Amino acid sequence: MTLPSTDHLTLTNVNALNAPALVRTGLGDQIRQVLIDGITSGRLQPGERIVERRIAVELGVSQAPVREALRQLEALRLVETVPNRGARVREFTEEDFAEFFPVRAGLEETAADLAVSRLAGRVEVFDGHIERLAAAEGPHVMRHSIAFHREIVEAAGNRLLRSVWESLGIEIWTTLSVRRHHTELCGKTAEHIEIADAFRRQDPRVGRLLHDHVMKYAP
Amino acid sequence: MTLPSTDHLTLTNVNALNAPALVRTGLGDQIRQVLIDGITSGRLQPGERIVERRIAVELGVSQAPVREALRQLEALRLVETVPNRGARVREFTEEDFAEFFPVRAGLEETAADLAVSRLAGRVEVFDGHIERLAAAEGPHVMRHSIAFHREIVEAAGNRLLRSVWESLGIEIWTTLSVRRHHTELCGKTAEHIEIADAFRRQDPRVGRLLHDHVMKYAP
DNA sequence: GCGTGACCTATGATCGATCATTGATCGCCT
DNA sequence: AGGCGATCAATGATCGATCATAGGTCACGC
């Protein structure tokens, strides 16, 4: 396995006074991203051990931030750890994907039910997402689609719900699932419009509608 | 603030050869429990800073496991941390409690819907819980009630759902809410029986039933 | 008086080193 | 051969020390 050189960790863009958001993030978060990239790109194979000190050396950091990153990956269910025995990249089973979508669908159903009354028909927030989704191609489709769903969760106005939803690792797991099962993504735009319409007329069935929509991604 | 003496961390029960489950837990987990106890008991007041090194000294450990414990408390939303500025006990707002129950209710609704078909009417698993709940008094009521709900989540057979449900910190947050709002707990036994019955006859409305039941705990 | 910037302190973030657990290996005995 | 305990290497868990950042303080100049 070859991880990218240490340069990936050096202060990204040492730009001169026009940085809108100075990457002011701790090492742990950066390492997490490196490992996530490694897993999604296949550089880190399922079942492969992730040895804390080896990663630390390869990235030119100490063991502590690597541990922290591993804990985050564990929360995302991308690695599994055994106490005193370390972490390894998870084998993603069919069961994992089968379990993912009912939970995601349930959360979004809850979100939709909460959002309906809160939005009170004001669905302009969705317009941009739908337009961008319609215009998107390739891997961007997934990103914009998720942005639309995230907007719904946001609209529920429940920070806990939002945080739980994010903690599922929606992007990664949906991407992994679609990639593995060759899920058809076309036609989803129409459903998004349908869902937005349901919000517009405050249809009480919008929760169920969204739930069923999400389940169509399931294997 | 006075934390319990270090003894709380020494290997619990050095019993002689009849230990069913030797407390083989890392320092981080033990420290987390100490801090949780501190928060629920009021020894640690909302808004109070939790300084890593201070706790470490008081418990006779180093900074690392304390940090780890704090991360767990953050995940349970019992403390809030600002990067480079440390952690403090959260101020539990009404909004926190108001947000908690819809999420819990939604998850359990999902669980119930999944469990109905899986149980196929075999609801014996609930009997013991209902009996113990009926016989319980005082603080035990809450514990047994949650055990019943946990059994439903378990019965859904979805490990991710189970893990997300547990990550809400059901016990703590429900306890905190009931304590603060003096929620009436009597009569909940009857509803549990009703829910078990719905499972028995595989009533498709059991999800909604459970959802509404949970929401009755809400402020 | 008040804005400014050089210090200063507290403390989180990170490091390098050590401790402790685990599974593997090896030799011995039956 | 096979079981069994001693020994060993690998590595997670923990430690003690250092680095770096966020606020606070205070003297200075306007």
Side-chain angles (χ1 to χ4, degrees), chain A residues 50-162:
Chain A
I50 301 184
V51 178
E52 297 181 357
R53 255 176 293 203
R54 188 165 56 77
I55 304 293
V57 169
E58 286 173 351
L59 297 182
V61 299
S62 85
Q63 198 182 344
V66 176
R67 265 179 85 80
E68 187 167 319
L70 284 177
R71 288 289 145 79
Q72 297 185 42
L73 292 192
E74 192 182 4
L76 287 173
R77 303 172 312 288
L78 295 177
V79 307
E80 52 191 354
T81 70
V82 183
N84 291 312
R85 306 251 291 99
R88 63 181 58 227
V89 181
R90 278 199 58 185
E91 307 270 4
F92 304 107
T93 68
E94 282 309 308
E95 204 179 353
D96 289 323
F97 295 107
E99 288 185 343
F100 173 75
F101 288 97
V103 178
R104 177 182 165 186
L107 287 174
E108 295 196 18
E109 179 175 353
T110 299
D113 289 338
L114 292 173
V116 158
S117 56
R118 245 177 128 257
L119 287 175
R122 301 182 47 82
V123 294
E124 307 80 43
V125 286
F126 299 140
D127 295 343
H129 292 291
I130 292 179
E131 282 171 24
R132 283 191 290 276
L133 175 57
E137 287 185 17
H140 298 288
V141 174
M142 170 68 45
R143 189 174 315 285
H144 287 301
S145 171
I146 290 177
F148 173 77
H149 286 257
R150 177 175 285 113
E151 192 71 57
I152 294 174
V153 174
E154 207 85 62
N158 185 316
R159 292 165 307 175
L160 172 58
L161 178 59
R162 162 71 191 268

Side-chain angles (χ1 to χ4, degrees), chain A:
Chain A
M1 186 206 70
T2 47
L3 277 172
S5 70
T6 306
D7 309 49
H8 280 239
L9 288 183
T10 56
L11 272 299
T12 0
N13 56 35
V14 196
N15 56 18
L17 203 58
N18 65 339
L22 295 163
V23 247
R24 178 66 87 173
T25 170
L27 288 181
D29 295 309
Q30 295 177 251
I31 297 170
R32 178 197 60 205
Q33 199 50 49
V34 169
L35 292 175
I36 286 181
D37 292 345
I39 292 174
T40 56
S41 75
R43 209 178 331 113
L44 290 167
Q45 286 293 309
E48 188 169 335
R49 289 238 294 157
I50 301 184
V51 178
E52 297 181 357
R53 255 176 293 203
R54 188 165 56 77
I55 304 293
V57 169
E58 286 173 351
L59 297 182
V61 299
S62 85
Q63 198 182 344
V66 176
R67 265 179 85 80
E68 187 167 319
L70 284 177
R71 288 289 145 79
Q72 297 185 42
L73 292 192
E74 192 182 4
L76 287 173
R77 303 172 312 288
L78 295 177
V79 307
E80 52 191 354
T81 70
V82 183
N84 291 312
R85 306 251 291 99
R88 63 181 58 227
V89 181
R90 278 199 58 185
E91 307 270 4
F92 304 107
T93 68
E94 282 309 308
E95 204 179 353
D96 289 323
F97 295 107
E99 288 185 343
F100 173 75
F101 288 97
V103 178
R104 177 182 165 186
L107 287 174
E108 295 196 18
E109 179 175 353
T110 299
D113 289 338
L114 292 173
V116 158
S117 56
R118 245 177 128 257
L119 287 175
R122 301 182 47 82
V123 294
E124 307 80 43
V125 286
F126 299 140
D127 295 343
H129 292 291
I130 292 179
E131 282 171 24
R132 283 191 290 276
L133 175 57
E137 287 185 17
H140 298 288
V141 174
M142 170 68 45
R143 189 174 315 285
H144 287 301
S145 171
I146 290 177
F148 173 77
H149 286 257
R150 177 175 285 113
E151 192 71 57
I152 294 174
V153 174
E154 207 85 62
N158 185 316
R159 292 165 307 175
L160 172 58
L161 178 59
R162 162 71 191 268
S163 133
V164 170
W165 186 82
E166 290 291 354
S167 79
L168 286 187
I170 300 287
E171 307 248 359
I172 294 178
W173 279 89
T174 306
T175 303
L176 288 176
S177 175
V178 167
R179 184 189 302 172
R180 172 194 287 222
H181 302 99
H182 311 292
T183 309
E184 191 54 70
L185 285 181
C186 319
K188 295 297 194 294
T189 304
E191 291 191 18
H192 282 200
I193 293 175
E194 197 180 334
I195 289 165
D197 269 334
F199 273 110
R200 191 186 326 274
R201 61 173 188 277
Q202 302 185 47
D203 189 327
R205 288 168 304 180
V206 66
R208 180 55 49 173
L209 197 62
L210 182 56
H211 177 283
D212 295 344
H213 164 69
V214 169
M215 287 305 288
K216 285 182 187 163
Y217 288 82

Side-chain angles (χ1 to χ4, degrees), chain B residues 34-56:
Chain B
V34 169
L35 291 176
I36 286 181
D37 291 346
I39 292 175
T40 55
S41 75
R43 208 177 332 112
L44 290 167
Q45 285 293 310
E48 187 170 335
R49 288 239 292 158
I50 301 184
V51 178
E52 297 180 356
R53 256 177 293 203
R54 189 164 56 78
I55 304 293

Side-chain angles (χ1 to χ4, degrees), chain B residues 164-203:
Chain B
V164 169
W165 187 82
E166 290 291 355
S167 79
L168 287 187
I170 300 287
E171 307 248 358
I172 295 178
W173 278 89
T174 305
T175 303
L176 287 177
S177 175
V178 167
R179 183 187 303 170
R180 174 194 286 222
H181 302 99
H182 312 290
T183 309
E184 191 54 68
L185 285 182
C186 318
K188 294 298 195 296
T189 304
E191 290 191 20
H192 282 199
I193 293 174
E194 197 181 335
I195 290 166
D197 270 333
F199 273 111
R200 190 186 327 274
R201 60 174 189 275
Q202 301 185 47
D203 189 328

